[in-house]
Amino acid sequence: QRNANVAVLGASGGIGQPLSLLLKQSPLISKLSLFDIVHTLGVAADLSHIETKAQVKGFVGTEQLKDSLVGMDVVIIPAGVPRKPGMTRDDLFNTNASIVRDLVDACAQVCPKAIVGIIANPVNSTVPIAAEVMKKHGTFDPKRLFGISTLDIARANTFVAEAKGLDVSKVNIPVIGGHAGVTIIPVISQATPSVSFPQDELEKLTVRIQEAGTEVVNAKAGAGSATLSMAYAGARFTISMLNALAGKEGVIECAYVKSSETEASYFSTPLLLGKNGLEKNLGLGKLSDFEQELLKKALPELKGSIKKGEDFAHK
Ligand code: APR
């Protein structure tokens, strides 16, 4: 089994740079291709001095986009503009929708079989946009397109471990649904190890997980949204995927994918990953009454965001 070639599109950004740094450390990568509209040659030169085997190459400007994608097995997309205080992820739609459309269009032409992982927000809409663009090229494979919602899981694990005084490395909370506000559904009833909270604490914790991105946006006071924790989460997801592609068994991550688990046509659930990407959707599992209520609140917004993305792609 040869190692994988991975491209990061938007590699010079607040997420793109630390994500590329984390990926440069993975022994599972042979080529790391860095694309952005600015600064990638410097980022690539800098990272290329690190004594790990992944070969880093920078590509800058739209005219080099296609070159950056040749031979790629996995493409991760953190390109786009981030949130400022007072903005929701959906406020990014107008700018990021066309960025994702154009980048995915190039992927569909140059590396149609690549696994594509989308970080650019609003993920609830950008993933459906990506799918529609791929469908136009006849290359859409629902096993190979993922919205990276891993940061929601990292946040849930961290906050629950803090609240209960647990070793966070042993805590695992599935987070399902979408990747914005009320569409984020932490499934604390399925936590490992099992934990329980009084209802008022459970509600506060749930809202904190749903609004954790805004906590960072406000603390950064105009300088952007989560970058370092998002880069960590993007790298965690990508490395899990690379392990699964290389034949490791039993790799499970939650991610936002084409789904028939609920009436929303894209939905995040725990997924078994394998040699072809998504091996098996593990579904919602048993939800508590409280989580059922969260699901009811999530679905209308999620369906609206999906439709908005699909309509944009068809324009
Ligand atoms: N192609 C490639 N890169 C692009 C393009 C494009 N068409 N347009 C913008 N970029 C690059 C920018 O040049 C910049 O380097 O994307 C990068 C974005 O970096 P930041 O502005 O620092 O934003 P960041 O905090 O990394 O967030 C990026 O991820 O989580 C989401 O909501 C976040 O949508 C936002 C995205």
Side-chain angles (χ1 to χ4, degrees):
Q1 175 87 34
R2 72 174 177 88
N3 285 326
N5 296 334
V6 179
V8 178
L9 311 183
S12 304
I15 296 168
Q17 290 201 39
L19 172 61
S20 302
L21 170 62
L22 292 168
L23 294 178
K24 173 71 172 104
Q25 298 180 60
S26 169
L28 298 169
I29 298 178
S30 10
K31 283 190 192 157
L32 183 59
S33 184
L34 307 184
F35 172 77
D36 202 297
I37 48 175
V38 289
H39 306 318
T40 14
L41 301 182
V43 176
D46 193 353
L47 286 178
S48 72
H49 294 179
I50 294 175
E51 54 192 349
T52 56
K53 71 179 178 194
Q55 285 191 336
V56 185
K57 191 157 185 221
F59 299 84
V60 70
T62 308
E63 57 292 349
Q64 293 190 8
L65 171 59
K66 286 190 175 166
D67 293 340
S68 78
L69 295 170
V70 175
M72 290 299 126
D73 303 296
V74 176
V75 179
I76 306 296
I77 309 186
V81 290
R83 283 197 284 165
K84 299 232 154 66
M87 289 171 86
T88 66
R89 289 186 180 85
D90 199 50
D91 292 332
L92 303 172
F93 187 91
N94 291 336
T95 328
N96 289 358
S98 46
I99 293 176
V100 169
R101 178 194 59 203
D102 296 348
L103 294 174
V104 171
D105 192 82
C107 293
Q109 292 178 54
V110 181
C111 51
K113 294 215 174 300
I115 303 272
V116 175
I118 306 229
I119 293 174
N121 273 310
V123 162
N124 290 356
S125 303
T126 52
V127 170
I129 291 173
E132 293 309 303
V133 170
M134 291 166 171
K135 282 182 199 167
K136 278 188 197 165
H137 289 276
T139 66
F140 177 57
D141 177 353
K143 293 183 178 316
R144 307 176 86 80
L145 174 64
F146 301 84
I148 302 185
S149 56
T150 318
L151 182 51
D152 301 320
I153 290 93
R155 286 167 169 159
N157 292 347
T158 301
F159 301 162
V160 167
E162 274 171 9
K164 290 288 178 194
L166 296 168
D167 172 355
V168 70
S169 68
K170 300 202 170 66
V171 174
N172 186 31
I173 320 267
V175 180
I176 65 171
H179 176 62
V182 298
T183 70
I184 298 170
I185 307 169
V187 189
I188 294 173
S189 70
Q190 293 175 22
T192 322
S194 101
V195 289
S196 71
F197 293 93
Q199 187 60 25
D200 59 329
E201 254 183 71
L202 181 63
E203 282 172 20
K204 269 195 208 137
L205 190 59
T206 299
V207 172
R208 181 163 184 223
I209 296 164
Q210 291 174 329
E211 293 303 322
T214 305
E215 228 175 81
V216 180
V217 170
N218 291 340
K220 290 198 175 180
S225 48
T227 53
L228 303 171
S229 53
M230 186 59 237
Y232 158 80
R236 171 179 147 178
F237 178 81
T238 307
I239 288 164
S240 287
M241 180 61 75
L242 295 175
N243 274 308
L245 293 175
K248 184 172 173 189
E249 291 184 6
V251 180
I252 295 172
E253 288 283 354
C254 293
Y256 182 67
V257 292
K258 186 93 176 95
S259 171
S260 50
E261 296 297 320
T262 68
E263 57 187 71
S265 54
Y266 293 81
F267 200 86
S268 181
T269 44
L271 310 171
L272 179 66
L273 305 179
K275 285 186 175 164
N276 297 307
L278 199 177
E279 183 103 2
K280 186 167 188 258
N281 192 320
L282 302 178
L284 279 62
K286 191 175 173 318
L287 302 183
S288 68
D289 290 348
F290 175 62
E291 291 153 2
Q292 292 281 5
E293 285 305 311
L294 295 177
L295 176 61
K296 255 189 230 151
K297 279 186 217 149
L299 286 174
E301 180 173 327
L302 197 48
K303 281 160 55 183
S305 300
I306 293 166
K307 181 164 187 307
K308 190 172 173 185
E310 290 179 339
D311 288 349
F312 172 85
H314 293 149
K315 259 198 317 216

